[in-house]
Amino acid sequence: MKTPIIAPSILAADFANLQNAAEMLNESQADWFHIDVMDGVFVPNISFGMPVIKAIKKHAKKPFDVHLMITQPERYIEDFKNAGADILTVHLEASPHLHRTVQEIKNHGMKAGVSINPHTSVELLRDILPDLDLVLIMSVNPGFGGQKFIENTFNKVRTLRAMADELNPNLIIEIDGGVNDKNAPDLVNAGANALVAGSFVFKSNDPRQTIANLKNQ
Ligand code: DX5
Ligand code: ZN
């Protein structure tokens, strides 16, 4: 089985000790920092914005995978670049001019991702797929960490991987929400190659070991 990219979500870290969280991730086998931005409009929760991302960036030695759960994400592309984003992912459901937004992200020197909610069909990505570096499939309803994984995600991953084989073989398929050591191997077998994990990593007794276990299952 191929080794997945592991992107622990800072959302589940202790916000009073983000420097500690960054140092732990630097020393771990994590590949990326997953950074969840929520605006209280697109999702029913507010997390944090650019100043917090900049503060974490000072201590981080790995790429920032920034997941925007906000309306009108096109308004903030440059701000997130300046805050330290390396990969910028917007939601299909929040972006009526998705093609333009994706090009803008790339023009700013970032990798471009599109995320879809659990009810959104992967078929809606067909025409934008060749332009994308990454698709983030939500395996819970976005807004909160610690929710239960939705099993239909496996079908979505298989369908999307088949589409990507045809249209964009280098596509990264990232799964976000309720990922743990039980579903991770099946997700990778279904065609996912990046896994986000929040609670499973940060609420474990030994986050570094938990990351290593997810990576080397
Ligand atoms: C949810 C966020 C996720 C969240 C995952 O809206 O997009 O990245 O942090 O947390 P867990 O792994 O706890 O489901
Ligand atoms: Zn996320």
Side-chain angles (χ1 to χ4, degrees), residues 44-74:
N45 193 13
I46 299 176
S47 58
F48 50 75
M50 295 79 168
V52 173
I53 300 174
K54 280 184 189 160
I56 305 168
K57 191 77 178 180
K58 276 194 245 156
H59 304 287
K61 296 184 181 150
K62 296 179 180 180
F64 273 22
D65 169 35
V66 177
H67 176 195
L68 298 184
M69 287 160 275
I70 66 174
T71 59
Q72 297 186 278
E74 64 280 356

Side-chain angles (χ1 to χ4, degrees), residues 9 34-36 67 69 136 138 176 196:
S9 170
H34 186 79
I35 312 271
D36 288 304
H67 176 195
M69 287 160 275
L136 176 58
M138 287 306 307
D176 187 5
V196 175

Side-chain angles (χ1 to χ4, degrees), residues 101-161:
T101 302
V102 163
Q103 303 313 321
E104 276 294 299
I105 293 171
K106 290 180 171 175
N107 290 343
H108 281 80
M110 295 177 282
K111 293 204 182 304
V114 169
S115 182
I116 54 170
N117 283 336
H119 74 275
T120 300
S121 169
V122 294
E123 291 296 338
L124 294 177
L125 294 165
R126 182 174 288 278
D127 289 303
I128 193 76
L129 211 58
D131 296 289
L132 300 182
D133 296 297
L134 177 149
V135 170
L136 176 58
I137 297 183
M138 287 306 307
S139 40
V140 298
N141 286 293
F144 303 94
Q147 303 182 80
K148 188 173 175 295
F149 180 85
I150 296 171
E151 294 290 327
N152 185 49
T153 306
F154 293 116
N155 294 327
K156 296 176 80 164
V157 176
R158 279 189 287 268
T159 307
L160 182 60
R161 182 49 74 194

Side-chain angles (χ1 to χ4, degrees), residues 74-86:
E74 64 280 356
R75 291 171 62 199
Y76 300 103
I77 291 169
E78 189 155 330
D79 290 330
F80 282 106
K81 170 70 185 175
N82 293 338
D86 299 283

